[in-house]
Amino acid sequence: DYEAYRPFLKNGGLTVTGGEPLMQLPFITDLFQRAKQRDIHTCLDTSGITFRRTPDYLPKIDALLANVDLVLLDIKHIDPDRHKVLTSMPNEPILDFARYLKEKKIPVWVRHVVIPMVTDKPEYLERLGYFLGELDNIKALDVLPYHTMGKDKYRQLNMMYPLDGVPPMSTKAAAEAKQIILNGIKKRLLERKHEHELA
């Protein structure tokens, strides 16, 4: 029980992660409602892959977001075709979820893993930054270097590792990638400022 540990926690809260927590939407909604009743900070760690703007889904996600203080949003690839190759899923629901969180004014912490030969092209990084520059609710950006620690798990499960042969990325290279993303953000922010001045 969270309350048993509350005296030991400073500025802490409750983070729900996964897998993909939005696959358990009713449970998480109930959990976060109960957490907010106890004044517990709530954080949703998600890719947003289940998001869709349909009449049956939006009321359910709105009920959850009413009790979310922060979203940790995982954006794996900005390019739709490359995202499908990497994850076997489209990235449009993820990007649209990011836009929706902006509409709802939910604070977002973006995380992006930079993978050599997959997501580290300057073109992709700048495009990601340009997209993020459209969002006013970004509170932080983590650019994480890819590592190969997942290989052993795949081997133990007798599964093919999808990034076999891809080397790990250095912290320095990840920092350089982050700078390119930040440049893309600045580019879009300057454009938006100019558009506002002309309006």
Side-chain angles (χ1 to χ4, degrees), residues 87-174:
T87 69
S88 302
M89 300 292 286
N91 71 351
E92 182 51 36
I94 298 164
L95 302 184
D96 199 30
F97 185 55
R99 296 183 198 103
Y100 194 70
L101 293 171
K102 172 189 173 181
E103 294 169 25
K104 292 293 180 177
K105 298 180 171 56
I106 306 289
V108 171
W109 187 322
V110 172
R111 289 185 303 184
H112 179 68
V113 177
V114 187
I115 307 171
M117 305 179 293
V118 180
T119 64
D120 66 337
K121 285 178 67 173
E123 170 201 345
Y124 297 146
L125 298 168
E126 184 167 342
R127 278 171 60 189
L128 174 59
Y130 192 85
F131 171 77
L132 297 178
E134 193 64 40
L135 309 176
D136 302 319
N137 56 331
I138 304 293
K139 301 302 177 186
L141 169 65
D142 273 346
V143 179
L144 308 169
Y146 165 75
H147 59 72
T148 57
M149 288 189 278
K151 274 187 178 181
D152 288 339
K153 291 180 185 176
Y154 276 79
R155 286 192 187 118
Q156 289 168 10
L157 295 168
N158 292 320
M159 295 172 64
M160 186 183 80
Y161 187 62
L163 294 173
D164 200 28
V166 176
M169 173 163 275
S170 71
T171 304
K172 180 185 177 192

Side-chain angles (χ1 to χ4, degrees), residues 38-49:
R38 296 182 179 192
D39 196 31
I40 298 170
H41 184 277
T42 55
C43 177
L44 176 67
D45 184 354
T46 180
S47 75
I49 190 64

Side-chain angles (χ1 to χ4, degrees), residues 46-115:
T46 180
S47 75
I49 190 64
T50 66
F51 181 74
R52 56 194 185 277
R53 292 182 189 253
T54 57
D56 62 318
Y57 186 82
L58 287 181
K60 295 174 185 175
I61 197 72
D62 286 346
L64 171 64
L65 293 178
N67 294 287
V68 171
D69 293 310
L70 176 68
V71 172
L72 296 179
L73 184 62
D74 182 19
I75 301 180
K76 290 184 169 58
H77 209 305
I78 193 63
D79 183 84
D81 295 330
R82 300 308 302 168
H83 190 276
K84 280 185 182 177
V85 171
L86 180 62
T87 69
S88 302
M89 300 292 286
N91 71 351
E92 182 51 36
I94 298 164
L95 302 184
D96 199 30
F97 185 55
R99 296 183 198 103
Y100 194 70
L101 293 171
K102 172 189 173 181
E103 294 169 25
K104 292 293 180 177
K105 298 180 171 56
I106 306 289
V108 171
W109 187 322
V110 172
R111 289 185 303 184
H112 179 68
V113 177
V114 187
I115 307 171

Side-chain angles (χ1 to χ4, degrees), residues 3-17:
E3 294 298 334
Y5 295 96
R6 191 190 281 265
F8 304 100
L9 302 174
K10 294 182 180 178
N11 302 318
L14 176 65
T15 299
V16 175
T17 185

